[in-house]
Structures are given as C-alpha cells and as structure tokens.
Amino acid sequence: MSRKSRKPTFIDAHAHVDNVKTYLENIRRADIEVWINAIELSEINEIVSVSKSIPSKIFIGVHPSRADRYEPNEFLKRMGSVKKVDGLGEIGLDRRYGIPLDIQLKALRDQLAIAERYDLPVVLHTRGSVKEVLSEISSYSLKSVLFHWFSGSTSELNEVLSRGYYVSIGPSIIYSKSSRKVLEAYHRDRLLLETDSPVYYQPLKVEANPTLIVSVYYALSNLMKEDINVVVENIFKVARSFLKR
Ligand SMILES: [Zn+2]
C-alpha cells in the first residue's frame, strides 16, 4: 500500500474519487495503482485520505466543467496542504459544458503556469479541443503532458506524439474501432490506460470502477498480440517515464 516505486502492476491512469472509496479492497486485491484526478478543490481532502489505502498517485486540478469556481489563491493553498502532489489534473477545455471559454481559458492558463513553476506533469481534458489545447500548452515549459481519453483526429494524434506528449485510452478500445487509433502511441511508448471511473459505458452496460482496467489491459494485449505480462511491464515503464521518476 505504499506510494513508493514498486513492481510492475496494472495502472489506472485516470479515475475520480467518487467510487474509488467503495472498491478499495478490490483495487488492492487486483494489484492496481490508481491515478486519482480531482474535478474541484473541495475533493482534495477525500482524495488524500483514499490515496493512503491503495497504491495511488494524486493529481489536483479544477476541471473545465468547474472552471467558474477556480480561484488561484485557494488552489495554491490547497496544493500546499497535500504532502506529495504527483501532477495537475484534470484540467483543460470543453465547449460542451457551457462555461464561457474565456473563463475556462483563464483557469487552464493559470494551472499550466503552476505546473510549470512547480515542475509537475499535467493531465489534460481535450474533448473537441485538441488543437486549441495544443496551442495553449506551447507557451509553457511543462515536465510532461498527458492527453487523457484522447478522442482527436489521426493528424492531431500525430501532432501530440511528435511533440513527445502522452495519450491515454480506456474501455472504449474494447468496443470502438475509432478509438483504437491511439494504439499507435503504444508503439511509440506514449500510451497509458485508464477507466475514467465512475463513467458509465453504455456499450458495456457498466459503471466503471478502477478494477475495469484489467479488461482494458487484456483488450490491448489481444489487439497488440502481445503477452499480458509484457503489456503490463511496458505500460508501467511508460507511466514512470511520464511521472519522470
Ligand atoms: Zn476525468
């Protein structure tokens, strides 16, 4: 249950705290490391408390759907209260949330500046906004960048990979051909896997919890025609290189 470096294990590179606490025993038994991403600052105490009982990494941030609640001083204060922050997330842009774009941009830029200043990796939400986010992040010197649940085009994917950024994909590779374009990132040591728990996956008729990550690993192992142990080891190395440790 330590957060120290450990042997290769399944990694759920993107989940939210909501249902993680209900599955702690299952997560431990399945040997899964969970990267818990914040949606808003009020979750941070709970994230810290949950992270103590499972292998985990802590990402703090204000999600684009809550950008109107972003407050820079509050952010730094909360960040200072966490013993070890592994990165900033989940931050980004998304027009579908109805929060004015200028408000989303302000929160994003501010958080990118914090990531730069503290030399922390960032996890980005880029639904329908890959190009804009790519242009936003160009002005910052960032330690490492993950495009979570990548859903952009093939040319956007090529741009993301050629700039050395990482992408993650989740259970959609089980049922969606178009989301499998990100498998290219696996060949380039830039792919991570996630569940985005507690998202409900209609085609699978299941509300995700981090133990669903095991099925995502097996799906990738089948698609790549590679032994599951090799896949686990490869993704583990990619994860450590993203975290830069
Ligand atoms: Zn998320």
Side-chain angles (χ1 to χ4, degrees), residues 14-16 37-39 63 89-90 97 123-125 148-149 194-199:
H14 191 98
H16 297 283
N37 276 250
I39 295 282
H63 191 271
E90 163 179 8
Y97 293 128
V123 175
L124 298 169
H125 175 110
H148 125 76
W149 196 333
E194 58 159 283
T195 63
D196 205 7
S197 301
V199 162

Side-chain angles (χ1 to χ4, degrees), residues 33-73:
E33 175 182 290
V34 184
W35 294 10
I36 310 172
N37 276 250
I39 295 282
E40 57 179 55
L41 300 176
S42 60
E43 292 176 328
I44 289 177
N45 289 346
E46 187 168 38
I47 290 175
V48 169
S49 118
V50 162
S51 76
K52 286 178 183 150
S53 53
I54 50 170
S56 58
K57 301 292 173 197
I58 296 177
F59 290 78
I60 67 166
V62 176
H63 191 271
S65 66
R66 314 291 163 91
D68 53 344
R69 298 187 204 169
Y70 176 79
E71 212 278 294
N73 293 332

